[in-house]
Amino acid sequence: RPALQRVDSWGRENSLTFSPSKSVAVLFTNKCQEQAKTVHYNLRMGSGTVPWATGVKYLGVYLDSKLSFIPHIRQRIRSAKQALIGHRALAYKHWGPLPRLTKWLWTGVVRPALTYAAPIWAKVTKRLSIQKELRKLNRLGALALGPMRRQTPTASLEVIMHLPPLDLYIQEQALNALVRLRRNFSPTWQGLGSGASRRQTLPGTWLQLEKAWTNMAVPDWPLDTINKVPNLNKRFHLDKESFKHGEPTWFPIQCFTD
């Protein structure tokens, strides 16, 4: 509650209004008893009340209260199936888009949307139930590439179409992100908390990726990096008067490109 009061006060000082009806509160914990206690607390922000929820969507990733990411991957699988089924309605055995265009739709549009933010939730692909759902989705994507016999094994379709199993592909994308970001990744937790949470070296998913990367024994070649140079002398300021009538009160903005 004190945190919400500070946020509300900061918003009033900066002419911002937060909408309680568009906000939710989530208690991230594995303890069911702690989750049950949230119904007894009313979080007020301004003149409204912030409702409690079991999860929230942030930057395209659904964060459930236990951070299991199972609801997120299942929702992504449903969206991918809807996209593939919608495409199959436009094609048939003897007419429709070319197979190479259909494969591009799967590998260039549907699959990237499925693997978005894979480094965060890649650990969920270790579950057998999720692997089964991903195997069905990959089969659906392979059958959409052209006329196939329905009795063809999924593994054979993956080999013929050069489609790796989705659980392995997601882990590959997560490892690729680890290679790019591991040099800029903080080895310790920088957020709230103390004690054991401060001493924890890496989050669970990243710790698993680090172990997988170490077991692969890949040479740690240097990567291109860009040094961060903070610019503290910003030559601009906020013209609050222009918000009243929608036009700047001084000279217009000039942009130059090469």
Side-chain angles (χ1 to χ4, degrees), residues 38-50:
T38 58
V39 298
H40 303 292
Y41 295 95
N42 293 326
L43 301 179
R44 298 193 61 83
M45 176 183 287
S47 59
T49 302
V50 179

Side-chain angles (χ1 to χ4, degrees), residues 69-70 72-81 84 106 110-111 113-116 118 121-142 154-155 158 163-172:
F69 297 103
I70 295 178
H72 170 78
I73 181 59
R74 285 179 172 167
Q75 192 277 331
R76 291 284 84 197
I77 291 175
R78 287 194 297 268
S79 299
K81 285 183 177 180
L84 288 174
W106 167 242
V110 180
R111 194 171 65 178
L114 172 69
T115 59
Y116 170 75
W121 51 266
K123 65 177 183 179
V124 77
T125 58
K126 300 292 185 178
R127 292 177 171 266
L128 296 179
S129 58
I130 299 300
Q131 291 179 6
K132 184 178 180 180
E133 295 183 31
L134 291 174
R135 193 179 303 114
K136 291 181 179 180
L137 177 62
N138 211 24
R139 177 180 180 83
L140 183 63
T154 304
E158 293 174 345
L163 298 175
L166 280 178
D167 58 318
L168 299 180
Y169 179 78
I170 292 172
Q171 296 173 23
E172 177 191 6

Side-chain angles (χ1 to χ4, degrees), residues 42-103:
N42 293 326
L43 301 179
R44 298 193 61 83
M45 176 183 287
S47 59
T49 302
V50 179
W52 288 96
T54 57
V56 62
K57 192 172 184 179
Y58 182 70
L59 296 179
V61 180
Y62 184 82
L63 305 175
D64 58 285
S65 59
K66 295 184 179 181
L67 292 180
S68 65
F69 297 103
I70 295 178
H72 170 78
I73 181 59
R74 285 179 172 167
Q75 192 277 331
R76 291 284 84 197
I77 291 175
R78 287 194 297 268
S79 299
K81 285 183 177 180
Q82 291 176 0
L84 288 174
I85 293 174
H87 165 262
R88 293 186 67 177
L90 303 176
Y92 195 62
K93 292 183 179 181
H94 305 294
W95 51 268
L98 297 176
R100 61 181 179 86
L101 297 179
T102 308
K103 184 177 181 180

